Amino acid sequence: MTQLSQKHLLGIKDLTEKDIQLIFDTADTFKEVINRPIKKVPSLRDITIANVFFENSTRTRLSFELAEKRLSADVINFSASSSSLKKGETLLDTVNNILAMKVDMVVMRHASPGAPHFLSRYIDANIVNAGDGTHEHPTQALLDTYSIRERFGNVAGLKVAIIGDILHSRVAISNIFALKKLGAEVMVCGPNTLLPKHIQSLGVKVELDVFKALQWCDVANVLRIQLERQQIKYFPSLREYSLYYGINLSMLQKLDKEITIMHPGPINRGVELSSDVADSNHAIILDQVENGVATRMAVLYLLASQKQ
Ligand code: CP
């Protein structure tokens, strides 16, 4: 198979295992390219991509822009905070105006779950979801599972614990879909108030004790508390959260095995992870960031290939 089964990348839920393997194999090629002295290839020379971000981002936005430039695409960047949205323009009008400038692909981050799905019903360009509210963050899950595959050689059969604010996390949902499709066992761990009620229906184990989760897993993907999405108090204080769910080096040293620590970023140091873990050899956090460029190059390249 050399083509993706989808016209857009809206969520991991829509991808097949073969789609994911194709993205990984393509990312392997691009990872080799971006480690050459000349890091650029002409693959998307005639393609124009708009990065349309309605929510803050550091990694995803820079990583997409770099991926696009490494593929020689023409790139335009849109930031909601400095746009005519402030004058009352709708999402659809905004995107249609961008598309009138002959844009082929839209990479979009939005605070509302389903915003890229809504757009996909009205516009012809390929859409890549760069995070829609608490719903999905598909390229984050692709780079996370690609990094696990790179570390262990395979994802199937591994035990992965996703720890933290599962309730508000698009990273957790996309990772669960990707890991399950690739044959990993998945556990979620966090305070009861930060676990969605029906999360077990996604085929994951649930654990409230973080040390037990660490003892069980090969990989711990640790998530930030998303205070910006919390309208009520889910736990008494960040200090108390950190006492019960924060991961530090002495905890890892008490385990009878080595485990790998991941984090999608941004890290709140001293809350979910101590610096002695975040900066240790256990952590592959910056490898995840590096792999983000290669996996996003793969996604953009494969979506653009469908047009030819
Ligand atoms: N991991 C992630 O999505 O980070 P940003 O919000 O900085 O893009």
Side-chain angles (χ1 to χ4, degrees), residues 1-216:
M1 192 182 81
T2 54
Q3 293 242 310
L4 292 177
S5 66
Q6 304 292 315
K7 175 181 173 183
H8 309 287
L9 178 60
L10 300 177
I12 300 289
K13 192 177 182 190
D14 309 319
L15 297 183
T16 63
E17 187 202 341
K18 280 187 178 162
D19 287 327
I20 299 175
Q21 296 293 359
L22 176 62
I23 293 167
F24 286 176
D25 292 344
T26 311
D28 284 342
T29 311
F30 287 129
K31 183 148 185 184
E32 190 267 313
V33 167
I34 60 178
N35 281 294
R36 287 182 199 158
I38 295 169
K39 300 172 172 59
K40 213 163 167 163
V41 285
S43 315
L44 297 193
R45 207 174 43 201
D46 297 322
I47 301 288
T48 304
I49 304 179
N51 299 313
V52 181
F53 278 65
F54 296 87
E55 252 195 349
N56 294 344
S57 170
T58 298
R59 277 146 294 272
T60 310
R61 185 174 174 150
L62 291 177
S63 178
F64 266 112
E65 188 171 345
L66 198 55
E68 292 151 6
K69 288 179 171 168
R70 297 277 188 251
L71 291 167
S72 306
D74 292 320
V75 179
I76 54 173
N77 289 308
F78 166 91
S79 168
S81 57
S82 56
S83 75
S84 289
L85 280 164
K86 297 278 174 207
K87 302 174 193 165
E89 194 168 36
T90 66
L91 169 64
L92 193 54
D93 280 341
T94 300
V95 174
N96 271 329
N97 275 270
I98 293 169
L99 292 177
M101 300 176 208
K102 306 292 174 222
V103 165
D104 301 290
M105 280 195 206
V106 177
V107 175
M108 186 171 91
R109 171 168 287 192
H110 201 281
S112 300
H117 306 68
F118 165 77
L119 269 194
S120 71
R121 293 204 288 274
Y122 295 99
I123 67 173
D124 194 39
N126 304 95
I127 299 174
V128 181
N129 180 2
D132 61 326
T134 55
H135 180 222
E136 279 228 40
H137 191 349
T139 56
Q140 181 67 47
L142 289 168
L143 74 90
D144 287 344
T145 44
Y146 182 84
S147 301
I148 293 173
R149 171 190 182 255
E150 186 177 66
R151 178 84 154 193
F152 291 89
N154 206 350
V155 178
L158 288 174
K159 292 178 175 171
V160 181
I162 305 173
I163 299 171
D165 182 358
I166 312 297
L167 186 65
H168 300 98
S169 178
R170 53 197 177 204
V171 175
I173 299 299
S174 288
N175 262 274
I176 290 169
F177 286 137
L179 289 162
K180 298 288 295 177
K181 283 174 198 268
L182 295 170
E185 282 185 72
V186 185
M187 173 184 280
V188 294
C189 173
N192 233 334
T193 50
L194 290 177
L195 298 174
K197 249 188 191 148
H198 303 291
I199 192 78
Q200 273 151 316
S201 65
L202 296 181
V204 300
K205 297 177 194 305
V206 175
E207 176 58 66
L208 301 180
D209 181 326
V210 75
F211 193 70
K212 285 186 185 162
L214 295 177
Q215 278 177 317
W216 174 84

